Amino acid sequence: MNRKLKNSELDRLEVSEFKDALKSPIIIVLDNIRSLNNIGSVFRTSDAFLIKKIYLCGITAQPPHNDIRKTALGSTETVAWEHHESTTKVIEKLKSTGVKICSIEQAENAIMLNEFEPQPNTTYAFVFGNEVKGVQQEVIDISDSVIEIPQFGTKHSLNISVSTGVVIWDVFNKIKNKA
């Protein structure tokens, strides 16, 4: 029999413990995300996998906001974040510190996520784009690579919060298994 665990049994970190914990070498960049619920969901997933930082760029809303808070469930207090007007300036700054930039998009010559192999001792920033227009072409142009999530149905369109969860889970596991 599988008994459902109580919240008290989940070995959750306190906020101070989370802030002091070793983070995964993953950064998330949100490029002009419209939905506040999507933003909150990305925070929540980022908390679950000890993401280093989230960059909220362009029109992407920032905490505190009730609609973000509703889906983030407190993770805006744990995950480090910054807001910047220009996604390209954030990308250029990250690249100058050795971070590898991967736009998540359907594009020519994209690497399929299942074929992407993160390199050891490397920090990656994954860029997720607007719900309608995707990642800006100018951001794709300065990315180190483009990664596509393989899809097999009729839509070939995933919600940005779902895409973020899929990529974080996949890359987190690949990094963890190499450690």
Side-chain angles (χ1 to χ4, degrees):
M1 180 166 177
N2 295 323
R3 180 184 61 83
K4 183 176 170 181
L5 296 175
K6 297 175 184 171
N7 283 344
S8 61
E9 297 175 284
L10 295 179
D11 196 28
R12 292 181 179 183
L13 297 177
E14 297 294 327
V15 172
S16 61
E17 293 173 312
F18 182 94
K19 291 187 179 206
D20 291 339
L22 179 65
K23 302 298 184 287
S24 59
I26 299 171
I27 295 168
I28 301 299
V29 179
L30 299 182
D31 180 26
N32 292 300
I33 304 303
R34 297 177 312 164
S35 166
L36 301 173
N37 290 322
N38 282 338
I39 297 164
S41 181
V42 169
F43 268 95
R44 196 161 149 192
T45 301
S46 295
D47 176 279
F49 295 100
L50 292 168
I51 297 306
K52 190 175 285 224
K53 189 173 223 175
I54 299 173
Y55 288 91
L56 309 168
C57 301
I59 65 166
T60 306
Q62 55 193 306
H65 193 287
N66 284 339
D67 286 338
I68 294 174
R69 189 178 3 246
K70 183 172 36 175
T71 51
L73 294 180
S75 56
T76 58
E77 304 302 319
T78 55
V79 179
W81 63 272
E82 291 181 21
H83 181 269
H84 294 271
E85 290 302 317
S86 171
T87 307
T88 55
K89 286 183 181 174
V90 167
I91 299 305
E92 289 166 354
K93 176 185 169 193
L94 290 170
K95 284 182 83 160
S96 75
T97 65
V99 174
K100 297 295 181 194
I101 310 300
C102 302
S103 286
I104 308 302
E105 190 57 83
Q106 296 164 330
E108 292 177 339
N109 303 312
I111 301 164
M112 291 297 146
L113 179 60
N114 55 307
E115 297 171 1
F116 173 72
E117 288 299 328
Q119 298 306 303
N121 305 311
T122 303
T123 299
Y124 289 90
F126 297 99
V127 184
F128 296 87
N130 178 277
E131 292 88 342
V132 174
K133 298 178 181 178
V135 177
Q136 298 175 72
Q137 185 63 52
E138 62 187 10
V139 173
I140 290 171
D141 291 343
I142 60 173
S143 295
D144 295 302
S145 59
V146 177
I147 297 173
E148 182 176 337
I149 301 169
Q151 297 173 54
F152 306 100
T154 61
K155 299 300 177 202
H156 287 261
S157 173
L158 293 171
N159 177 285
I160 190 281
S161 64
V162 171
S163 295
T164 305
V166 167
V167 170
I168 289 174
W169 170 251
D170 182 80
V171 175
F172 181 86
N173 273 312
K174 286 174 180 173
I175 291 169
K176 184 178 169 192
N177 288 333
K178 285 185 176 184

